[in-house]
Amino acid sequence: MSGAMDSVLFSLSKAFCSPLAVFVQIQGCVICLTLALGWACAAYVRNREIRRIKDSMRAGNSLAFLCQDINELEHSYQANLPRVSVVMPLKGFGEHNLHNWRSQVISLYGGPLEFLFVVESTEDPAYHAVSRLISDFKDNIDARVVVAGLSTTCSQKIHNQLVGVEKMHKDSKYVLFLDDDIRLHPGSIGALTSEMEKNPEIFIQTGYPLDLPSGSLGSYCIYEYHMPCSMGFATGGKTFFLWGGCMMMHADDFRYDHCGVVSGLRDGGYSDDMTLAAVAGAHKKLITSPPVAVFPHPLSSDLSFSRYWNYLRKQTFVLESYMFKANWIMNRALFSSHCYLSWGFVMPYFMALTHVTAALRIYIQGYAREETTFVSNGLLLVSCLAACTFIELFSMWNLTRIEVHLCNILSPEAPRLSLATYNWVLVFIAMLVDNFLYPISAFRSHFSQSINWSGIRYYLKDGKINKIERSKDKGPKHTDLAWKHLYGKKAAPPKTFFLGGLLRSLEQWQQPKKFDG
């Protein structure tokens, strides 16, 4: 039996030394090196911003993490800053929400600023939690909760966003859409607004999250899934990518439906960022991502593998939605290339495992050297792949290290983030798992044309939502990523002591509000 298994193993190892197999393994090395180069370029952009902030501090601007020019903190300048409305669509309540909301409402932006927390109904657990938070702040912030009702023609998130825009202040110049699962820096809103003021041609400004894995394999799969996309957001300027967790736009674009942004979202829109990116592309509009727009994104402490799979399903389903024929073509290209590259990345490691196993069997069983000369060629390919993998992981580590450092500089008051919590063995395993599962998820999304998103099932037709089903009894009780409770009772506000520590930690930020106009 052992001899038969060895025979199969050696046959596979020999087959994996054929020209086609060698091409596949070399392709895997090229993919690794391409990713490493992309992360190296992204690290350069983020590190350049760190050097700029440090140079400004050495020159006497101790508040360089807020703005580049300390004179911008003068009252005369702050008094003329434009009004910004922050719209946050909420769904459910989880372990990181209060911390995230705190970072968003305690902004050191000096201009007029309002926060609109938009929920589906008063039964949403987020309604009572954020209502209590607002009441505890009393007159220190301009914030309110908006009940949007149920969506009928688009996703619930998009519906909440559009209702929030309808309720924003009539004098608001910019609207900032934020997800409730990221943490802003004190100067984030000011930095985004400053870029919009410098270049009125900007259609959308965006940012990107820095995932903070909780330790489970599922959380590392999320981190690995997001990392390749981080290259497109670390340009320090123009980009073709858009992340719905942070989008600043001109308020008038929504008031007057410029370029069809409102109708495009409202009439069958499933993904806010994909829809707006399609609008920007169709009208040749500018999307930018400033180098300081990287935000800590803590993942749930008990993020299971099944919840990661559900999240991946939602991400691949996005490629099934589109507005125009050009979007459909691009989505199909992304679908095909991502599936090809994902399995093209995984396959060389399967081949490498076969080569190594065959070499070990030869060593243990003492086979004649002339019978197994092909193994040395296989081990040479394994060595090349190992070297490329090390370079790739090092580049990923370096970018994460720099982004952690940048986040610590931009939020000096917050608990320090550390790279020491990252397990790089799990990162490597997550790379293999995520790339193996992506094509499976993508094909399933393509043939199902429906998805359950936070307890709501959406059906697509011709790239747009044409049917919505809601069922509390059949749907999940929690979200996948943050494990937020989706349903609650109307008369069950959170306990007071849960916010006590929060308010105490906010006291140190009351004095800096003197910079507000």
Side-chain angles (χ1 to χ4, degrees):
M1 187 68 169
S2 177
M5 292 181 61
D6 285 350
S7 178
V8 172
L9 182 63
F10 295 158
S11 297
L12 281 174
S13 182
K14 188 173 183 178
F16 290 159
C17 290
S18 67
L20 179 60
V22 170
F23 169 77
V24 171
Q25 293 171 83
I26 292 176
Q27 177 185 257
C29 293
V30 172
I31 293 174
C32 288
L33 294 178
T34 302
L35 288 170
L37 178 61
W39 286 324
C41 293
Y44 171 79
V45 172
R46 303 293 193 196
N47 197 43
R48 184 178 59 190
E49 188 63 18
I50 291 175
R51 292 197 303 269
R52 183 198 63 76
I53 294 174
K54 289 184 175 180
D55 290 343
S56 184
M57 287 181 172
R58 282 191 289 267
N61 181 8
S62 59
L63 297 175
F65 67 95
L66 290 178
C67 58
Q68 297 184 22
D69 185 356
I70 196 171
N71 293 323
E72 294 179 0
L73 296 177
E74 294 289 341
H75 176 76
S76 58
Y77 183 90
Q78 298 273 301
N80 294 318
L81 288 174
R83 175 179 287 274
V84 177
S85 292
V86 181
V87 175
M88 280 179 276
L90 306 182
K91 182 71 174 180
F93 182 73
E95 62 177 305
H96 297 299
N97 281 131
L98 279 177
H99 194 166
N100 296 339
W101 295 339
R102 178 194 70 179
S103 72
Q104 292 164 350
V105 301
I106 302 300
S107 170
L108 296 187
Y109 178 64
L113 185 63
E114 69 170 345
F115 296 89
L116 301 169
F117 297 89
V118 191
V119 296
E120 174 186 303
S121 71
T122 56
E123 295 184 44
D124 192 313
Y127 174 81
H128 292 291
V130 75
S131 296
R132 187 59 178 271
L133 180 64
I134 292 173
S135 66
D136 286 330
F137 276 109
K138 296 181 180 178
D139 298 327
N140 292 325
I141 60 172
D142 179 6
R144 55 197 168 108
V145 183
V146 177
V147 178
L150 302 180
S151 64
T152 57
T153 62
C154 59
S155 69
Q156 187 64 46
K157 178 184 178 182
I158 289 177
H159 176 71
N160 288 9
Q161 290 172 325
L162 294 179
V163 171
V165 167
E166 291 177 358
K167 303 295 184 181
M168 69 180 174
H169 196 282
K170 62 181 179 63
D171 295 328
S172 289
K173 187 175 182 180
Y174 303 112
V175 56
L176 174 61
F177 297 106
L178 291 177
D179 281 355
D180 65 353
D181 57 356
I182 65 164
R183 296 175 183 173
L184 285 187
H185 308 294
S188 292
I189 297 178
L192 293 169
T193 306
S194 177
E195 292 297 320
M196 297 289 280
E197 289 289 282
K198 290 177 184 177
N199 185 3
E201 296 299 316
I202 295 176
F203 183 59
I204 308 175
Q205 263 203 113
T206 188
Y208 203 64
L210 168 63
D211 289 329
L212 306 176
S214 58
S216 66
L217 177 60
S219 68
Y220 279 101
C221 286
I222 298 292
Y223 163 76
E224 190 282 328
Y225 174 81
H226 284 157
M227 279 303 289
C229 300
S230 65
M231 304 173 196
F233 292 87
T235 61
K238 182 179 179 180
T239 181
F240 298 101
F241 297 87
L242 185 59
W243 177 56
C246 174
M247 302 184 298
M248 177 173 276
M249 301 181 65
H250 295 270
D252 281 348
D253 287 344
F254 287 88
R255 292 191 181 101
Y256 305 110
D257 196 16
H258 290 163
C259 302
V261 293
V262 175
S263 54
L265 290 167
R266 181 191 58 220
D267 301 334
Y270 167 75
S271 169
D272 53 339
D273 47 16
M274 290 289 284
T275 301
L276 290 173
V279 170
H283 294 86
K284 303 297 188 292
K285 293 294 186 177
L286 178 62
I287 301 175
T288 65
S289 182
V292 295
V294 54
F295 310 108
H297 179 214
L299 298 173
S300 174
S301 59
D302 58 349
L303 203 159
S304 65
F305 190 79
S306 62
R307 283 158 55 191
Y308 149 72
W309 167 251
N310 290 336
Y311 175 78
L312 183 63
R313 283 273 292 112
K314 294 181 180 69
Q315 296 304 300
T316 56
F317 189 75
V318 167
L319 293 179
E320 301 304 313
S321 64
Y322 56 90
M323 283 188 66
F324 313 109
K325 184 67 174 180
N327 301 139
W328 180 85
I329 295 174
M330 180 173 290
N331 286 1
R332 296 280 65 80
L334 288 172
F335 176 96
S336 303
S337 60
H338 201 154
C339 290
Y340 175 81
L341 293 174
S342 290
W343 276 351
F345 176 84
V346 173
M347 186 58 69
Y349 291 97
F350 171 73
M351 294 178 174
L353 180 62
T354 302
H355 289 312
V356 171
T357 305
L360 289 175
R361 291 298 296 172
I362 289 171
Y363 177 78
I364 293 172
Q365 297 295 333
Y367 286 95
R369 182 178 180 85
E370 57 272 11
E371 298 177 2
T372 57
T373 53
F374 59 88
V375 173
S376 59
N377 296 327
L379 292 180
L380 178 61
L381 293 170
V382 170
S383 300
C384 292
L385 181 62
C388 293
T389 301
F390 175 80
I391 295 172
E392 178 193 19
L393 287 172
F394 177 81
S395 185
M396 184 190 292
W397 168 85
N398 185 53
L399 174 58
T400 306
R401 175 186 66 84
I402 289 173
E403 290 187 336
V404 164
H405 187 30
L406 179 58
C407 287
N408 286 333
I409 291 177
L410 294 173
S411 292
E413 88 296 348
R416 310 295 286 175
L417 304 179
S418 173
L419 202 66
T421 59
Y422 288 73
N423 184 326
W424 294 97
V425 173
L426 279 180
V427 169
F428 173 69
I429 295 174
M431 289 167 60
L432 298 178
V433 171
D434 182 63
N435 282 285
F436 175 75
L437 290 178
Y438 183 91
I440 299 174
S441 176
F443 277 101
R444 181 175 176 182
S445 296
H446 177 69
F447 289 107
S448 69
Q449 290 296 298
S450 70
I451 195 72
N452 190 311
W453 185 7
S454 297
I456 307 173
R457 180 162 291 279
Y458 299 102
Y459 294 85
L460 295 184
K461 183 178 181 180
D462 297 328
K464 295 184 178 182
I465 292 175
N466 78 320
K467 184 181 177 181
I468 301 175
E469 291 181 351
R470 290 179 171 86
S471 176
K472 289 184 180 181
D473 297 330
K474 295 181 180 179
K477 304 300 182 184
H478 304 84
T479 59
D480 296 316
L481 203 58
W483 206 235
K484 296 183 293 184
H485 296 273
L486 292 175
Y487 307 110
K489 298 179 180 179
K490 287 186 177 181
K495 297 180 180 179
T496 304
F497 71 84
F498 194 60
L499 287 173
L502 169 68
L503 294 175
R504 286 193 296 272
S505 65
L506 292 174
E507 291 177 357
Q508 61 178 313
W509 282 103
Q510 297 304 308
Q511 291 302 318
K513 298 297 282 187
K514 66 185 179 182
F515 292 114
D516 290 359

